[in-house]
Amino acid sequence: MRKFAIIGVGHVGAAVAFTLVTKGIADELILIDKNEGLARAEQLDLQDMQGRIETRTIIKINDYSELADADILFITAGNILAYAEKDAAGNRWAEFEYTKNIVQDIAPKVKASGFHGVAIDTMNPCDAITQYFQENTGLSRQQVFATGTFLDTARMQKVVSDQFDCDPKNVSGYVYGEHGESQFTAWSTVRVNGLDITELAKERNLNLDDLEEAARRGGWEVYSGKGYTSWAIATCAVKLSQAVLSDARAAYICSCYNEKYGTYVGQPAIIGKNGVEEVTTLPLTAEEEAKFKHSADTIKEKFQTFDKQPN
Amino acid sequence: MRKFAIIGVGHVGAAVAFTLVTKGIADELILIDKNEGLARAEQLDLQDMQGRIETRTIIKINDYSELADADILFITAGNILAYAEKDAAGNRWAEFEYTKNIVQDIAPKVKASGFHGVAIDTMNPCDAITQYFQENTGLSRQQVFATGTFLDTARMQKVVSDQFDCDPKNVSGYVYGEHGESQFTAWSTVRVNGLDITELAKERNLNLDDLEEAARRGGWEVYSGKGYTSWAIATCAVKLSQAVLSDARAAYICSCYNEKYGTYVGQPAIIGKNGVEEVTTLPLTAEEEAKFKHSADTIKEKFQTFDKQPN
Amino acid sequence: MRKFAIIGVGHVGAAVAFTLVTKGIADELILIDKNEGLARAEQLDLQDMQGRIETRTIIKINDYSELADADILFITAGNILAYAEKDAAGNRWAEFEYTKNIVQDIAPKVKASGFHGVAIDTMNPCDAITQYFQENTGLSRQQVFATGTFLDTARMQKVVSDQFDCDPKNVSGYVYGEHGESQFTAWSTVRVNGLDITELAKERNLNLDDLEEAARRGGWEVYSGKGYTSWAIATCAVKLSQAVLSDARAAYICSCYNEKYGTYVGQPAIIGKNGVEEVTTLPLTAEEEAKFKHSADTIKEKFQTFDKQPN
Amino acid sequence: MRKFAIIGVGHVGAAVAFTLVTKGIADELILIDKNEGLARAEQLDLQDMQGRIETRTIIKINDYSELADADILFITAGNILAYAEKDAAGNRWAEFEYTKNIVQDIAPKVKASGFHGVAIDTMNPCDAITQYFQENTGLSRQQVFATGTFLDTARMQKVVSDQFDCDPKNVSGYVYGEHGESQFTAWSTVRVNGLDITELAKERNLNLDDLEEAARRGGWEVYSGKGYTSWAIATCAVKLSQAVLSDARAAYICSCYNEKYGTYVGQPAIIGKNGVEEVTTLPLTAEEEAKFKHSADTIKEKFQTFDKQPN
């Protein structure tokens, strides 16, 4: 029996929930939100659809004790309105003071519940808040990871595939680093239809920086148009969880702990039943390695600064 | 190749779109919205998830000419904010003046596009606006129908299944009439686990009126908690469309034209490749038949009143 | 994590396995067969497809100890060739001496494994062998049930829907009794598009006996054409298992223990996490009740006769 | 509406059919087989399952005129028994004289039907028979292609992923050439978890030839264990067809026409609505290029030899 829990049923949490229910992935689903009316509304809306789909998911709300035997916990709480007000420049760090408060609220409850599954975070600033959650729950670094640049990589795949008129799944390779401004596409890892993109770019006089910028800005276009992003981030989160449940040992990029740089950061990993089974070190160019270090340092530094601030 | 179009990508339209993409149902999907930024944002969010799912859907926006060869057109435009302001009492008719305007805008464009597939409406007041859309596009009554009480029936199934601690799919039977206040559950049609609910209610001293009220109020609970409803209504709409595409000749309740009462109203029908293949007349009790007439009359009367008002 | 095991990977077992893998239902799957080469071949064929589907299933073979924490065990062993030779008349009882031997072989191994999930049988003679398996493993009657007339009911739905030119899912009601010659369609339970079939039959001068015969013979048509049946029976078995895993409390007909008649027999039940949560007693006509008793008696009598025979 | 046809409903054709139905991919499905009883049996078995799945597929048999508006045609006829007798050494060319006869029978009928969709072949010898079918139907080389080494590549992914204890989907790269003995893994294209396998092999003292042999022999292990192969080949065929229907422009290896070598052969291509949209030329090593030429030459030579023989 596959048991999932979601803390925070805003747009992302609700889209994760709907995905798990409509595709018959979850046997049991626990929705937790401080806004009781919202949790109840999402529960009802999902229950109302049960008569119209082939599978069934038992859906409960706002009971932390249910986490004791949950396989997967999604952390998707946020405060997008506060975020919007404070963050004209589109910097996810602006969310940190809100999301830190949220983690301070939920971490002891998760700990007390006896949860011992795998936790997947989508909250922002993604890398920092995941580390913060991991530290505050006492769950292992294997058990706690985040979507991180798994989403940015999907956006890069979309942007590149548009350029080459092909399926985004034809594009391999990764966006590394922070799920934020210091992220970068490691072009040396990127292939399109099996071909090295740096070669293709030369042939076609393509400016890869433009593609990178388009990928980085992708989320903001969605955000500015609909006020939040939901489908792609939810799809990424669910995909990661499926790899855990089936012990797939799938190679995905996500935000997980980097021993060398001492921080959570977007990097390729092997995802299986324990969460992050292994971090994969790909041969980056010197320039990419420097960008990776810079991005990791950025996360670490901001994390420490914010950590010291009063909430 | 399955080609779908959606006019109106608010919460319902977007949930329909996501369902079609995440379950691999649509090969091609056209999103149309007056808010260009919103249409673009939903397109991008759905495209960004393409690298993370097995199937692919080509997604285009805001081009009515694409309707010429679309199989299914969902009409899901609305103005939930205006609705919320005007409608303290939770009456879907309050939306009519807005949605009429919308239909007056889109109907000629749909007509001009050469669309000749099947149109499924979710806009409110559902029965009236569907008729209004049908009349204004010149599409046949077979080709145009609405979710209507397919959703209310799903809610009734949920409420009844809670009472009997079983799968909502174990509950057969229908909520007839208006997708609004005058709807009613035709209890003579309802069976739970194969047993007549009127008998069960006697044995257990159950008040069916309470269940009916709970079912009728279901949507408002969702609406008050999250500000709109999306998952169940989208799931209903998609399910109806699938019956059309596969010419399933499935028995579903929906809002379609009733010859006897001269109006669109929620009643059982057979859904196939032409849309409403047939209306099914079930033997109702005299009291139910009277309620059905009353509900149909309500729709017809309000429709005529509003039709005469200036927009 | 959803863990399934299958004992017997002939055509039915293999079709169950493929369904579980291709639809992403199983996280882990154990295949057990006395023919080691066959188990290995099915494992390989299913593993070879893993690179081409979205989900992953870990597949192991021939290790009874894996049953200790399996959620679902399908019993699908058989000897279709022996069956074919011996059984010109198409009587499933001819399989009993073979399948009894199989149960005598596997029951102690299942018992020793510590299996404590739910076992679903598809072997023939279905009702008798399920009881035999239940008695020999010491698993509870709740935990052990069989597809029984769930398949025959699907065939009845198909035959009736052909007659009325509609979706088989529009046909409700059940085929009761033995998964064999003494089965019968309880027409008083059958509705087509919500309408009582006995009324419809009168209106249309339809002979329901002809439809019943067509339904009963359905399996033999498949069998004579391809030498076995696989897709429908596998689909039925998987559907039952899904109701267990999600604790759906779904109303399905299946072969389970009838207290009144003292035998396993096809009757409606509620399927949930414990297997058969409840047997449902529908109001049958006197004639139907007599047929049900006769069918149950047939199973019981043959079961006792065969039970006394040497293997 | 997605319309598929299958010529030949042996194990592969039936597994393709079941996949299309159970996953709700096909709206309409035409099964064609010289053995009328077999076609009827598969039709019935698939129809019998319709009452147990969410979607519906209309299934017809043995009517070539239905091909006129089919989107996809699978050619899956074969004579596995004759094949088994004649081919102790496991050489797919032994099937050619049988499958040529089949093509000579079906090609004129396909041509006469007005079929103008995309044809996907799984018959053996795969590369030659596909060319033979293409030439005999007059369909374009874009419209006709075969699974070819798409299956062998899946097997290579499985074998490599076992070695590295990871998800087969983590393995990129291709098996090129003949779907037969002269095929080869182009190791220079293969990456595991994003890492170059030739580097990994050096580090771990891995013999890639052993892995290649295991991949090449994979099919024969399945074949020897169950008498045929079905799940993986059917899954490959369906995946290719889905790329056509959604115009995915997906990068898959398949057997398609190579201009340079003048033959159908397994090589990477872009699959979209027209079938093979483009052939992709990856930078192979000189040794790999030589093997590719050799494999292509082998196909061409045998094709010409057999073409001249009497049937």
Side-chain angles (χ1 to χ4, degrees):
Chain A
M1 192 191 239
R2 296 177 186 157
K3 185 169 182 178
F4 294 77
I6 301 173
I7 298 181
V9 287
H11 293 292
V12 176
V16 167
F18 178 65
T19 305
L20 294 172
V21 173
T22 199
K23 296 181 100 164
I25 298 168
D27 295 312
E28 194 168 351
L29 176 59
I30 315 301
L31 305 178
I32 294 177
D33 202 287
K34 283 190 89 162
N35 181 341
E36 178 94 20
L38 179 59
R40 175 70 180 142
E42 291 296 352
Q43 179 193 33
L44 267 175
D45 206 4
L46 294 167
Q47 287 177 333
D48 285 347
M49 65 180 268
Q50 300 269 313
R52 301 283 171 267
I53 56 169
E54 195 172 15
T55 50
R56 191 169 188 212
T57 304
I58 304 299
I59 303 165
K60 299 176 184 168
I61 57 170
N62 280 359
D63 182 354
Y64 271 93
S65 74
E66 289 281 351
L67 299 188
D69 62 351
D71 299 298
I72 302 286
L73 171 62
F74 294 103
I75 310 291
T76 59
N79 188 338
I80 202 89
L81 289 185
Y83 180 28
E85 286 157 22
K86 300 208 48 156
D87 184 29
N91 188 327
R92 292 179 180 94
W93 286 97
E95 280 194 85
F96 201 17
E97 60 182 290
Y98 295 92
T99 49
K100 265 179 64 183
N101 276 333
I102 293 169
V103 168
Q104 282 168 3
D105 176 47
I106 66 179
K109 295 173 187 166
V110 171
K111 207 169 174 174
S113 74
F115 175 72
H116 55 282
V118 169
I120 300 172
D121 175 52
T122 67
M123 291 165 72
N124 284 326
C126 195
D127 310 278
I129 206 70
T130 307
Q131 182 158 344
Y132 197 76
F133 178 79
Q134 183 265 317
E135 291 176 358
N136 280 271
T137 52
L139 293 166
S140 78
R141 285 171 180 161
Q142 268 201 296
Q143 282 172 284
V144 180
F145 62 100
T147 45
T149 55
F150 194 44
L151 175 58
D152 304 287
T153 299
R155 285 177 179 147
M156 178 275 286
Q157 291 175 257
K158 188 263 169 194
V159 165
V160 170
S161 69
D162 277 353
Q163 188 65 47
F164 289 90
D165 189 17
C166 69
D167 191 330
K169 289 182 283 293
N170 299 6
V171 181
S172 58
Y174 299 117
V175 174
Y176 274 71
E178 184 194 359
H179 178 54
E181 292 304 300
S182 69
Q183 68 177 227
F184 69 99
T185 302
W187 292 115
S188 75
T189 67
V190 177
R191 296 184 167 214
V192 186
N193 302 334
L195 294 163
D196 189 332
I197 197 172
T198 56
E199 296 297 320
L200 293 170
K202 274 179 220 154
E203 285 169 25
R204 301 186 183 204
N205 261 325
L206 257 187
N207 187 342
L208 292 179
D209 290 344
D210 293 347
L211 294 184
E212 186 173 14
E213 184 57 21
R216 192 190 289 111
R217 286 287 135 194
W220 300 109
E221 274 187 80
V222 177
Y223 174 71
S224 72
K226 63 188 243 188
Y228 55 92
T229 83
S230 55
W231 311 129
I233 178 66
T235 301
C236 286
V238 170
K239 196 168 183 70
L240 290 169
S241 75
Q242 290 184 282
V244 174
L245 277 163
S246 64
D247 194 20
R249 301 188 63 88
Y252 295 143
I253 199 159
C254 64
S255 183
C256 53
Y257 195 78
N258 183 293
E259 295 285 349
K260 187 169 164 194
Y261 297 125
T263 184
Y264 271 74
V265 62
Q267 57 187 336
I270 303 297
I271 306 299
K273 66 171 182 278
N274 302 300
V276 178
E277 302 286 347
E278 221 175 288
V279 169
T280 311
T281 305
L282 300 188
L284 301 179
T285 65
E287 192 188 353
E288 288 167 350
E289 192 60 49
K291 284 182 183 172
F292 188 32
K293 181 181 187 317
H294 168 71
S295 192
D297 287 348
T298 300
I299 296 166
K300 205 158 118 182
E301 187 187 328
K302 291 206 180 164
F303 179 73
Q304 286 163 350
T305 312
F306 273 86
D307 206 22
K308 283 176 202 136
Q309 287 184 352
N311 285 309
Chain B
M1 191 193 241
R2 297 177 186 158
K3 184 170 184 177
F4 294 77
I6 301 173
I7 300 182
V9 288
H11 292 292
V12 176
V16 168
F18 177 65
T19 305
L20 294 172
V21 174
T22 198
K23 295 181 99 163
I25 298 168
D27 295 313
E28 193 167 353
L29 175 59
I30 315 302
L31 305 178
I32 294 178
D33 202 287
K34 285 191 87 161
N35 180 340
E36 178 94 24
L38 179 59
R40 175 70 179 140
E42 291 297 351
Q43 179 192 34
L44 267 176
D45 206 5
L46 294 167
Q47 286 177 333
D48 285 347
M49 65 180 269
Q50 301 270 312
R52 301 284 171 266
I53 56 169
E54 194 172 16
T55 50
R56 191 170 189 212
T57 304
I58 304 299
I59 302 165
K60 300 175 183 169
I61 57 170
N62 280 356
D63 182 353
Y64 272 92
S65 75
E66 290 281 352
L67 299 188
D69 62 351
D71 299 297
I72 302 286
L73 170 62
F74 294 103
I75 310 291
T76 58
N79 189 338
I80 201 89
L81 288 185
Y83 180 28
E85 286 158 22
K86 300 209 47 156
D87 183 28
N91 188 325
R92 293 181 179 95
W93 285 96
E95 282 195 83
F96 200 18
E97 61 182 291
Y98 294 92
T99 49
K100 268 179 61 184
N101 275 333
I102 294 169
V103 169
Q104 282 170 3
D105 176 48
I106 66 179
K109 295 174 187 163
V110 171
K111 207 169 172 175
S113 74
F115 175 73
H116 55 283
V118 169
I120 299 172
D121 175 52
T122 67
M123 291 165 72
N124 284 326
C126 194
D127 310 278
I129 207 68
T130 306
Q131 182 158 343
Y132 198 77
F133 179 80
Q134 182 265 317
E135 291 177 358
N136 280 272
T137 51
L139 292 166
S140 78
R141 286 171 180 161
Q142 268 202 295
Q143 282 172 285
V144 180
F145 62 100
T147 45
T149 55
F150 194 45
L151 174 58
D152 304 287
T153 299
R155 285 176 180 149
M156 178 274 289
Q157 292 175 256
K158 188 264 171 197
V159 165
V160 171
S161 69
D162 277 354
Q163 187 67 47
F164 290 90
D165 189 17
C166 69
D167 191 328
K169 289 184 283 292
N170 299 7
V171 181
S172 58
Y174 298 117
V175 174
Y176 274 72
E178 185 194 357
H179 178 55
E181 291 303 301
S182 69
Q183 69 178 224
F184 69 100
T185 302
W187 292 115
S188 74
T189 67
V190 178
R191 296 186 168 213
V192 186
N193 301 334
L195 295 163
D196 189 332
I197 198 172
T198 56
E199 297 297 320
L200 293 170
K202 274 179 221 156
E203 285 169 25
R204 302 186 183 204
N205 262 324
L206 257 186
N207 187 341
L208 292 178
D209 288 346
D210 293 349
L211 294 184
E212 186 173 13
E213 184 55 24
R216 191 190 289 112
R217 286 288 137 192
W220 300 109
E221 275 187 79
V222 177
Y223 174 71
S224 72
K226 64 188 244 190
Y228 55 92
T229 82
S230 54
W231 310 130
I233 179 66
T235 301
C236 285
V238 169
K239 194 166 184 72
L240 290 169
S241 74
Q242 290 183 282
V244 174
L245 278 162
S246 63
D247 194 19
R249 300 187 64 87
Y252 295 143
I253 198 159
C254 64
S255 184
C256 53
Y257 195 77
N258 182 295
E259 294 287 346
K260 186 169 164 193
Y261 297 124
T263 184
Y264 271 73
V265 61
Q267 56 188 337
I270 303 298
I271 307 299
K273 67 171 181 281
N274 302 300
V276 177
E277 301 288 347
E278 220 175 290
V279 169
T280 311
T281 305
L282 300 188
L284 301 180
T285 64
E287 194 190 352
E288 288 166 351
E289 193 60 50
K291 284 181 182 172
F292 188 33
K293 181 180 187 320
H294 168 71
S295 192
D297 286 348
T298 301
I299 296 166
K300 206 159 118 182
E301 187 188 330
K302 290 206 180 162
F303 179 74
Q304 286 164 349
T305 313
F306 274 86
D307 207 22
K308 284 174 202 140
Q309 288 184 350
N311 286 307
Chain C
M1 192 193 239
R2 296 177 186 158
K3 185 169 183 178
F4 294 77
I6 301 173
I7 299 182
V9 288
H11 293 292
V12 176
V16 168
F18 178 64
T19 304
L20 294 172
V21 173
T22 198
K23 295 181 99 163
I25 298 169
D27 295 312
E28 193 167 353
L29 176 59
I30 315 302
L31 305 178
I32 294 177
D33 203 288
K34 285 190 88 161
N35 180 340
E36 177 95 24
L38 179 59
R40 175 71 180 141
E42 291 296 352
Q43 179 193 34
L44 267 175
D45 206 4
L46 294 167
Q47 286 176 333
D48 285 347
M49 65 180 268
Q50 301 269 314
R52 299 285 173 265
I53 57 169
E54 195 172 16
T55 50
R56 190 169 190 213
T57 304
I58 304 299
I59 303 165
K60 300 176 184 169
I61 57 169
N62 281 357
D63 182 354
Y64 272 93
S65 74
E66 290 281 351
L67 298 188
D69 62 350
D71 299 298
I72 302 287
L73 170 63
F74 294 102
I75 311 291
T76 59
N79 188 336
I80 202 88
L81 289 185
Y83 180 28
E85 286 158 21
K86 302 210 46 157
D87 184 29
N91 188 326
R92 294 181 179 95
W93 286 97
E95 281 195 85
F96 201 18
E97 61 182 289
Y98 295 92
T99 49
K100 266 178 64 184
N101 276 333
I102 294 169
V103 169
Q104 282 169 1
D105 176 47
I106 65 178
K109 295 174 187 164
V110 170
K111 207 168 173 175
S113 75
F115 174 72
H116 56 282
V118 169
I120 300 172
D121 175 53
T122 68
M123 292 165 71
N124 284 325
C126 194
D127 310 279
I129 206 69
T130 307
Q131 183 159 344
Y132 197 78
F133 179 78
Q134 182 265 318
E135 291 176 358
N136 280 271
T137 51
L139 292 166
S140 77
R141 286 171 179 161
Q142 268 201 295
Q143 282 172 286
V144 180
F145 62 101
T147 46
T149 55
F150 195 44
L151 175 58
D152 304 287
T153 299
R155 286 175 180 149
M156 178 274 288
Q157 291 175 256
K158 188 263 171 198
V159 165
V160 171
S161 69
D162 277 355
Q163 187 67 46
F164 290 90
D165 189 17
C166 68
D167 191 330
K169 289 183 283 292
N170 299 7
V171 181
S172 57
Y174 300 117
V175 175
Y176 275 72
E178 184 193 358
H179 178 56
E181 291 304 300
S182 69
Q183 69 178 225
F184 69 99
T185 302
W187 292 114
S188 74
T189 67
V190 177
R191 296 186 167 213
V192 186
N193 302 334
L195 295 162
D196 189 332
I197 198 172
T198 56
E199 296 297 320
L200 293 169
K202 275 178 220 155
E203 285 168 26
R204 303 187 183 203
N205 261 325
L206 256 188
N207 187 342
L208 293 179
D209 289 345
D210 292 350
L211 294 184
E212 186 173 13
E213 185 55 23
R216 191 190 288 111
R217 286 289 135 194
W220 300 108
E221 275 188 79
V222 177
Y223 175 71
S224 73
K226 63 188 245 191
Y228 55 91
T229 83
S230 53
W231 310 130
I233 179 67
T235 301
C236 286
V238 169
K239 194 168 185 70
L240 291 169
S241 75
Q242 290 184 283
V244 174
L245 277 162
S246 64
D247 194 19
R249 301 187 65 86
Y252 295 143
I253 199 160
C254 64
S255 184
C256 53
Y257 195 77
N258 182 294
E259 294 287 347
K260 187 169 163 194
Y261 298 125
T263 184
Y264 271 74
V265 62
Q267 56 187 337
I270 304 297
I271 307 299
K273 67 171 182 279
N274 302 299
V276 178
E277 301 287 347
E278 220 174 289
V279 168
T280 310
T281 306
L282 299 188
L284 301 180
T285 65
E287 193 189 352
E288 287 167 353
E289 193 60 49
K291 283 182 183 172
F292 188 31
K293 181 180 187 320
H294 168 72
S295 192
D297 286 348
T298 301
I299 297 166
K300 205 158 119 183
E301 186 188 329
K302 290 206 181 163
F303 179 73
Q304 286 163 351
T305 313
F306 274 86
D307 206 22
K308 284 175 202 138
Q309 288 184 350
N311 287 307
Chain D
M1 192 191 239
R2 296 176 186 158
K3 185 169 183 177
F4 294 78
I6 302 173
I7 299 182
V9 287
H11 292 291
V12 176
V16 168
F18 177 66
T19 304
L20 294 172
V21 174
T22 199
K23 296 181 100 163
I25 298 168
D27 295 313
E28 194 168 351
L29 175 60
I30 316 301
L31 305 178
I32 294 177
D33 202 287
K34 285 191 89 162
N35 180 341
E36 177 95 21
L38 179 58
R40 175 69 181 142
E42 291 296 352
Q43 179 192 33
L44 266 176
D45 206 5
L46 293 167
Q47 286 176 333
D48 285 346
M49 65 179 269
Q50 300 269 313
R52 302 283 172 264
I53 57 169
E54 195 171 15
T55 50
R56 191 168 189 213
T57 304
I58 304 298
I59 303 164
K60 300 175 184 168
I61 58 170
N62 280 357
D63 181 354
Y64 272 94
S65 75
E66 289 282 351
L67 299 188
D69 62 351
D71 300 297
I72 303 287
L73 171 62
F74 294 103
I75 310 291
T76 59
N79 188 337
I80 201 89
L81 289 184
Y83 179 28
E85 286 157 22
K86 299 208 49 155
D87 183 29
N91 189 323
R92 293 180 180 94
W93 285 96
E95 281 195 85
F96 201 19
E97 60 182 290
Y98 294 91
T99 49
K100 266 179 64 184
N101 276 333
I102 294 169
V103 168
Q104 282 169 2
D105 176 47
I106 67 179
K109 295 174 187 164
V110 171
K111 206 169 175 174
S113 75
F115 175 72
H116 55 282
V118 169
I120 301 172
D121 175 52
T122 67
M123 291 165 71
N124 285 324
C126 195
D127 310 279
I129 206 70
T130 306
Q131 182 158 345
Y132 197 77
F133 179 80
Q134 183 266 317
E135 291 176 358
N136 280 271
T137 52
L139 293 165
S140 78
R141 286 170 180 163
Q142 268 202 293
Q143 282 172 284
V144 180
F145 62 99
T147 46
T149 55
F150 194 43
L151 174 58
D152 304 289
T153 299
R155 286 176 178 147
M156 178 274 286
Q157 291 175 255
K158 188 262 170 196
V159 165
V160 170
S161 69
D162 277 353
Q163 188 67 47
F164 289 90
D165 189 17
C166 68
D167 191 330
K169 289 183 283 291
N170 299 6
V171 181
S172 58
Y174 298 117
V175 174
Y176 274 72
E178 185 194 358
H179 177 56
E181 292 303 301
S182 70
Q183 68 178 225
F184 69 100
T185 302
W187 292 114
S188 75
T189 67
V190 178
R191 296 185 167 213
V192 186
N193 302 333
L195 295 162
D196 189 331
I197 199 172
T198 56
E199 296 298 320
L200 293 170
K202 274 179 221 155
E203 286 169 24
R204 302 186 183 204
N205 261 325
L206 256 187
N207 188 340
L208 292 178
D209 289 345
D210 293 348
L211 294 184
E212 186 173 14
E213 184 56 22
R216 191 189 289 110
R217 286 287 137 193
W220 300 108
E221 273 187 80
V222 177
Y223 174 71
S224 73
K226 62 188 244 190
Y228 55 92
T229 82
S230 55
W231 310 130
I233 178 65
T235 300
C236 285
V238 169
K239 195 168 185 70
L240 291 168
S241 75
Q242 289 183 284
V244 174
L245 277 163
S246 63
D247 194 20
R249 301 188 63 87
Y252 296 143
I253 198 159
C254 63
S255 183
C256 53
Y257 195 77
N258 182 293
E259 295 286 347
K260 186 168 164 195
Y261 298 124
T263 184
Y264 271 74
V265 63
Q267 56 188 336
I270 303 297
I271 306 300
K273 67 171 182 279
N274 302 300
V276 177
E277 301 287 346
E278 221 175 288
V279 168
T280 311
T281 306
L282 300 188
L284 301 180
T285 66
E287 192 190 354
E288 288 167 350
E289 193 60 48
K291 285 181 183 173
F292 188 34
K293 182 181 188 317
H294 168 71
S295 191
D297 286 348
T298 301
I299 297 166
K300 204 159 119 182
E301 186 186 331
K302 290 207 179 161
F303 179 74
Q304 286 163 351
T305 313
F306 274 85
D307 207 22
K308 283 173 202 140
Q309 287 184 350
N311 286 308

